[in-house]
């Protein structure tokens, strides 16, 4: 039920997990070389608060706090050896880390339903000062250089009749685009906000969602960038009392995408669901780092990320950190990461991490599995007349559908599944025209 | 009218020095409307024959031919064989998580027929067949073979045979692991297909039990990778009473003699 092991799964060095394990509910965390000391381990039933010691100059009985700051220099210049950067190909993220301040902007196309207001505040605005702080140098640079923020405000108690859509298109310039977006949803309002990233860009963008008490907020962030794009971003959510926050991250395009999603709760009874889908092919690097900080009682978090990889240079990283602080009694948390490796040579890293500092919780757990689409499945489907390409599509569609359907916007879901299909088809091109008309349902 | 012809088929598993010959010259002809039972002890190569015809990549054909209506089956990919009219009901059907039974069936039917079946009649057909096989309708929304009991898996295989309507169906130990009720239901499904059309059936089994429900026209005794005796349904009765001992003994002597010559 509860564990706090840290494991990495790496298909290049470990035997493939049976694909059936990928989908089974409650699959245990992958075995792998522990990257944190054994003192991390504990269980919800008997862990005494303060039992975890990680050493350090002044032992507090708790893991060290994560460094946060609005000052980029506090973090120093990353070398790639730091825990937060060790999975990132530094050469490819340098254009952002070394990027100069600029006036470059993405092209915004917005659809704002009634009850929604889009405005701009400058860097000195109290709203900016109150945002969760950056957790790495790139995020701090972004906060600084964005020079203020674009703010989407949803009035309290507003019930939007359609999603807020911000279509953000890159225009392909050499300059880094620095952005900061704040989505401020008033108490008891209900809103869905879609960030739809397309086009070629070097983009570093912070996004903060403030979900007021009792609000129901869905944020969908689609990374459908043109090839060669680089995207870094820190996403923060502050979940109010009894509020629900749902985040759906869909990363398909670009050369490198590295998103850090943090969740904190400002009141009791909050719920956060973090869903993600990523599909890496050829040489794409897609990195999703999550950090859910349970510091108040009776909150829930649920994480489900699924990724598929094809091509020898395909690379994905998923880091799922959950911390349950001593005060966070009644916490319920679960995180799950599944990776489906479609071709030889691709590499998926998956590192779930759970720090439990109180035994008074409802439940805490995580699972991670990386497996391949195996020959026996392929044979079974083909023996029913289904060609190999369609068989792969069928399996990948099924694999992703339960996450994608959380978006709740049919047209967007169809578009994303279509994009995935096209990408699958490009890698396993089969001239058989019959294979392109397979009836496959999403839900 | 279809004819599956197997001539002097040799098949091995493994590669290089580890290669092991499993089939050693199989001759067999199955025509539409005929039901052939292949019976033999464990390890005689019965399942290898089934998987080799279907094209499983684990098996290497080292000699002989397999043709369906004169077409070279061995030159076809696995899916081409199925579209040509061959069907293999597997002894151990594979779980395909994330893919629902209804989605799978419709995709397979589309591939076999070359066009998507009309939704309304298709749904009705699937439902009717599932009722005949005493399968709950909730079954259609489950993932392919995932968490199915042994009996459910076999019924699901027969359901596919019913819907895909192959020219030649190979049933690989479809009776194994079934209780009497499930065996009856599955056998009735096979018999309906035989009565309705011109299907040719190659029934592979270790036991004579299923032959009480599905009456074969021909029985072939399979030992050490080849057919060693052939006869009508009465041969099954003889095997029921006497077992494989006589054939296995002959085969051992034969193998020993071959070994001595080599």
């Amino acid at each position: 039920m509860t564990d706090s092991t840290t494991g990495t799964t790496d298909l290049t060095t470990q035997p493939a997990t049976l694909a059936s394990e990928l989908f089974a509910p409650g699959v245990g965390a992958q075995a792998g070389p522990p990257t944190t000391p054994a003192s991390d381990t504990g269980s919800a039933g008997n862990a005494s608060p303060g039992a975890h010691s990680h050493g350090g100059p002044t032992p507090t009985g708790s893991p060290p706090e994560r460094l946060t700051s609005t000052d980029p220099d506090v973090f120093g210049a990353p070398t790639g050896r730091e825990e937060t950067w060790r999975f990132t190909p530094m050469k490819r993220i340098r254009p952002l880390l070394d990027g100069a301040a600029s006036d470059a902007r993405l092209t915004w196309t917005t659809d704002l339903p009634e009850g929604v207001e889009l405005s701009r505040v400058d860097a000195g605005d109290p709203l900016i000062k109150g945002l969760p702080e950056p957790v790495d140098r790139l995020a701090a640079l972004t906060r600084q250089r964005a020079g203020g923020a674009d703010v989407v405000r949803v009035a309290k108690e507003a019930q939007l009749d359609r999603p807020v859509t911000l279509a953000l298109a890159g225009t392909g310039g050499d300059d880094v685009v620095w952005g900061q977006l704040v989505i401020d949803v008033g108490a008891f309002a209900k809103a869905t906000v879609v960030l739809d990233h397309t086009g070629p860009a070097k983009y570093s963008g912070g996004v903060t969602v403030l979900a007021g008490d009792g609000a129901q907020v869905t944020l969908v962030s689609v990374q459908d960038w043109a090839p060669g794009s680089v995207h870094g971003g820190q996403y923060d959510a502050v979940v109010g009392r009894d509020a629900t926050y749902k985040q759906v991250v869909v990363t398909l395009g670009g050369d490198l995408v590295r998103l850090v999603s943090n969740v904190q709760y400002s009141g009791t009874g909050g719920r956060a669901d973090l869903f993600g889908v990523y599909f890496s092919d050829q040489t794409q690097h897609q990195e999703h780092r999550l950090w859910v900080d349970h510091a108040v009682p009776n909150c829930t978090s649920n994480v489900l990320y699924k990724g598929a990889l094809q091509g020898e240079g395909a690379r994905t990283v998923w880091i799922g950190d959950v911390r349950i602080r001593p005060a966070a009694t009644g916490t319920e948390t679960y995180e799950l990461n599944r990776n489906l490796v479609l071709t030889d040579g691709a590499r998926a890293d998956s590192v779930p991490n759970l720090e439990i500092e109180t035994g008074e919780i409802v439940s805490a757990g995580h699972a991670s599995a990386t497996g391949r689409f195996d020959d026996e499945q392929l044979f079974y489907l083909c023996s029913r007349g289904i060609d190999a390409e369609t068989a792969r599509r069928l399996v990948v569609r099924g694999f992703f559908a339960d996450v994608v359907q959380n978006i709740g916007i049919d047209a967007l879901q169809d578009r994303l599944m279509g994009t995935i299909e096209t990408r699958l088809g490009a890698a396993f091109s089969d001239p058989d025209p019959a294979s392109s008309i397979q009836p496959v349902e999403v839900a | 009218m279809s004819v599956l012809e197997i001539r002097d088929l040799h098949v091995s598993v493994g590669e290089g020095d580890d290669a092991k010959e499993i089939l050693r010259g199989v001759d067999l002809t199955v025509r539409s409307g005929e039901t052939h039972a292949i019976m033999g002890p464990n390890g005689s190569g019965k399942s290898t024959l089934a998987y080799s015809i279907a094209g499983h990549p684990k098996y290497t054909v080292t000699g002989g031919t397999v043709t369906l209506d004169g077409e070279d089956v061995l030159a076809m990919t696995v899916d081409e064989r199925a579209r040509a009219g061959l069907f293999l009901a597997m002894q151990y059907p594979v779980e395909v998580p994330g893919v629902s039974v209804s989605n799978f069936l419709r995709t397979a039917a589309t591939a076999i027929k070359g066009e998507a079946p009309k939704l309304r009649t298709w749904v009705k057909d699937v439902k009717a067949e599932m009722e005949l096989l005493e399968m709950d309708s909730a079954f259609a929304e489950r993932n392919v073979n995932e968490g199915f009991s042994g009996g459910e898996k076999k019924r699901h295989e027969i359901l596919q045979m019913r819907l895909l309507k192959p020219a030649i169906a190979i049933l690989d130990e479809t009776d194994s692991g079934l209780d009497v009720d499930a065996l009856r239901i599955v056998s009735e499904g096979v018999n309906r297909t035989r009565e309705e059309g011109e299907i040719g059936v190659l029934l592979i089994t270790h036991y004579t039990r299923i032959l009480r429900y599905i009456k074969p026209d021909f029985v072939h005794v399979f030992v050490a990778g080849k057919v060693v005796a052939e006869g009508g349904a009465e041969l099954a009765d003889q095997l029921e009473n006497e077992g494989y001992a006589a054939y296995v003994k002959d085969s051992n002597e034969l193998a020993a003699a071959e070994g001595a010559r080599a």
Side-chain angles (χ1 to χ4, degrees):
Chain A
M1 187 195 78
T2 297
D3 62 7
S4 51
T5 52
T6 299
T8 60
T9 55
D10 172 1
L11 233 92
T12 59
T13 58
Q14 295 195 2
T17 308
L18 274 182
S20 56
E21 282 186 39
L22 281 173
F23 305 86
V27 173
Q30 280 294 292
T35 58
T36 50
S39 60
D40 268 3
T41 54
S43 67
N46 56 19
S48 53
H52 304 269
S53 171
H54 287 242
T58 49
T60 59
S62 288
E65 286 303 321
R66 197 158 67 147
L67 181 61
T68 66
S69 176
T70 53
D71 177 5
D73 292 334
V74 165
F75 298 97
T79 62
R81 288 187 294 274
E82 300 80 2
E83 180 59 34
T84 51
W85 293 103
R86 70 187 180 99
F87 292 103
T88 313
M90 296 310 289
K91 204 176 149 194
R92 286 153 71 183
I93 200 147
R94 283 284 169 221
L96 298 185
L97 280 167
D98 298 345
S102 82
D103 294 329
R105 297 268 291 168
L106 301 174
T107 301
W108 286 48
T109 308
T110 62
D111 179 17
L112 307 175
E114 200 181 324
V116 180
E117 179 194 311
L118 176 63
S119 61
R120 173 125 192 119
V121 298
D122 64 29
D125 195 280
L127 178 76
I128 303 279
K129 300 227 181 296
L131 299 180
E133 293 192 330
V135 299
D136 60 37
R137 180 177 172 86
L138 181 61
L141 284 171
T142 306
R143 183 74 59 86
Q144 195 178 68
R145 291 180 179 169
D150 300 295
V151 183
V152 172
R153 278 207 174 81
V154 179
K156 70 173 184 179
E157 296 178 22
Q159 307 285 308
L160 304 186
D161 62 355
R162 63 180 191 275
V164 178
T165 303
L166 306 180
L168 308 176
T171 56
D174 282 339
D175 291 338
V176 174
V177 178
W178 306 95
Q180 175 67 48
L181 177 68
V182 178
I183 297 163
D184 187 0
V185 180
F188 303 105
K190 187 175 175 186
T192 295
V193 178
V194 178
L195 308 181
D196 192 356
H197 300 102
T198 59
K202 293 186 182 66
Y203 178 55
S204 190
V207 177
T208 304
V209 176
L210 306 172
D213 292 350
Q216 297 174 46
V217 184
T218 299
L219 175 71
V220 180
S221 182
V222 175
Q223 287 66 244
D224 202 0
W225 297 108
S229 297
V230 183
H231 178 196
Q234 176 173 324
Y235 286 56
D236 289 287
V238 182
V239 181
R241 183 189 169 102
D242 296 327
T244 61
Y245 173 64
K246 180 161 83 175
Q247 176 179 294
V248 187
V249 166
V250 182
T251 300
L252 303 174
D255 171 54
L256 181 149
V257 174
R258 182 184 185 275
L259 301 181
V260 179
S261 292
N262 308 313
V263 173
Q264 56 180 270
Y265 301 86
S266 60
T268 59
R271 177 182 177 96
D273 291 281
L274 306 179
F275 298 106
V277 164
Y278 46 92
F279 183 20
S280 167
D281 69 18
Q282 297 176 26
T283 59
Q284 288 181 294
H285 176 93
Q286 298 173 343
E287 182 169 346
H288 298 92
R289 309 180 72 96
L290 293 92
W291 165 267
V292 181
D293 192 344
H294 284 275
V296 297
N298 302 322
C299 290
T300 301
S301 61
N302 176 47
V303 175
L304 173 61
Y305 267 65
K306 284 187 174 183
L309 299 88
Q310 70 181 12
E312 272 191 28
R315 187 77 203 274
T316 66
V317 178
W318 179 86
I319 312 288
D321 290 330
V322 173
R323 181 159 175 184
I324 304 172
R325 294 179 188 271
T329 55
T331 293
E332 194 174 342
T333 178
Y334 192 74
E335 36 170 20
L336 183 60
N337 176 228
R338 296 267 184 267
N339 294 297
L340 179 61
V341 176
L342 295 166
T343 59
D344 288 340
R347 177 178 166 139
D349 284 286
S350 179
V351 187
N353 235 321
L354 188 49
E355 302 278 3
I356 304 172
E357 297 178 77
T358 172
E360 307 283 312
I361 60 171
V362 176
S363 63
H366 61 220
S368 159
T370 298
R372 62 175 60 243
F373 176 48
D374 74 31
D375 293 343
E376 294 299 328
Q377 292 174 355
L378 184 64
F379 174 73
Y380 188 76
L381 295 171
C382 289
S383 78
R384 284 6 179 187
I386 301 167
D387 65 274
E389 185 204 338
T390 305
R392 274 195 187 84
R393 275 196 215 160
L394 202 59
V395 167
V396 172
R397 273 209 158 227
F399 180 69
F400 280 142
D402 65 331
V403 188
V404 170
Q405 71 196 21
N406 282 294
I407 293 172
I409 304 169
D410 288 347
L412 183 56
Q413 289 173 187
D414 290 349
R415 187 190 107 197
L416 296 172
M417 292 308 285
T419 303
I420 290 168
E421 282 228 337
T422 307
R423 300 261 303 273
L424 274 171
F428 302 101
S429 57
D430 180 336
D432 180 2
S435 65
S436 61
I437 52 159
Q438 298 307 322
V440 184
E441 64 243 19
V442 172
Chain B
M1 182 73 188
S2 293
V3 189
L4 176 70
E5 287 188 281
I6 302 164
R7 291 289 169 268
D8 195 28
L9 186 66
H10 290 256
V11 170
S12 56
V13 291
E15 284 173 17
D17 293 343
D18 295 331
K20 189 174 173 233
E21 186 167 57
I22 310 281
L23 300 187
R24 306 170 175 194
V26 179
D27 288 292
L28 197 64
T29 303
V30 181
R31 292 183 178 83
S32 298
E34 296 176 351
T35 297
H36 294 249
I38 292 198
M39 305 191 62
N42 286 330
S44 60
K46 305 186 299 288
S47 285
T48 298
L49 177 63
Y51 279 95
S52 299
I53 298 168
H56 194 288
K58 182 176 150 193
Y59 301 99
T60 309
V61 175
T62 54
T65 59
V66 179
T67 60
L68 179 63
D69 302 331
E71 298 288 322
D72 183 3
V73 169
L74 299 178
M76 301 178 192
T77 60
V78 176
D79 50 307
E80 284 168 350
R81 295 178 198 208
R83 293 200 292 270
L86 293 173
F87 179 87
L88 170 61
M90 296 191 199
Q91 185 180 359
Y92 303 110
V94 181
E95 293 186 4
V96 189
V99 178
S100 72
V101 167
S102 65
N103 196 358
F104 165 64
L105 292 174
R106 196 164 142 79
T107 306
T110 303
I112 297 280
K113 293 174 171 55
E115 60 176 357
K118 294 217 167 21
L119 200 57
R120 247 184 85 208
T121 52
W122 172 252
V123 170
K124 217 175 77 196
D125 289 351
V126 173
K127 221 174 149 197
E129 290 300 337
M130 285 177 65
E131 270 170 25
L132 286 168
L133 289 167
E134 298 181 27
M135 297 166 82
D136 192 276
S137 60
F139 211 84
E141 297 318 311
R142 291 169 67 184
N143 290 332
V144 172
N145 293 321
E146 193 178 53
F148 287 18
S149 69
E152 287 172 335
K153 283 182 180 168
K154 298 302 173 69
R155 280 186 241 189
H156 180 227
E157 295 292 288
I158 299 304
L159 174 65
Q160 293 168 53
M161 184 191 75
R162 295 286 298 152
L163 293 167
L164 301 179
K165 305 191 190 312
I168 305 285
I170 303 161
L171 310 182
D172 184 15
E173 304 215 12
T174 296
D175 53 333
S176 66
L178 294 186
D179 62 28
V180 173
D181 280 341
L183 181 62
R184 175 185 54 78
I185 292 163
V186 161
S187 300
E188 284 171 2
V190 175
N191 287 332
R192 271 197 302 281
T193 308
R194 295 167 72 207
E195 286 155 17
E196 286 166 12
E198 288 285 281
I199 192 170
V201 176
L202 188 56
L203 184 68
I204 292 174
T205 181
H206 182 78
Y207 304 103
T208 52
R209 193 172 62 136
I210 194 171
L211 304 183
R212 282 179 227 148
Y213 298 90
I214 304 173
K215 286 290 169 208
D217 303 304
F218 305 94
V219 173
H220 311 264
V221 181
F222 205 76
V223 175
K226 60 168 77 169
V227 175
V228 295
E230 289 175 304
E234 76 287 346
L235 185 53
D237 297 331
Q238 186 200 320
L239 289 171
E240 168 88 5
N241 296 327
E242 300 170 15
Y244 298 110
Y247 299 105
V248 173
K249 185 164 159 286
D250 287 353
S251 152
N252 285 344
E253 283 169 3
L254 193 71
E258 278 176 357
R261 272 207 308 275

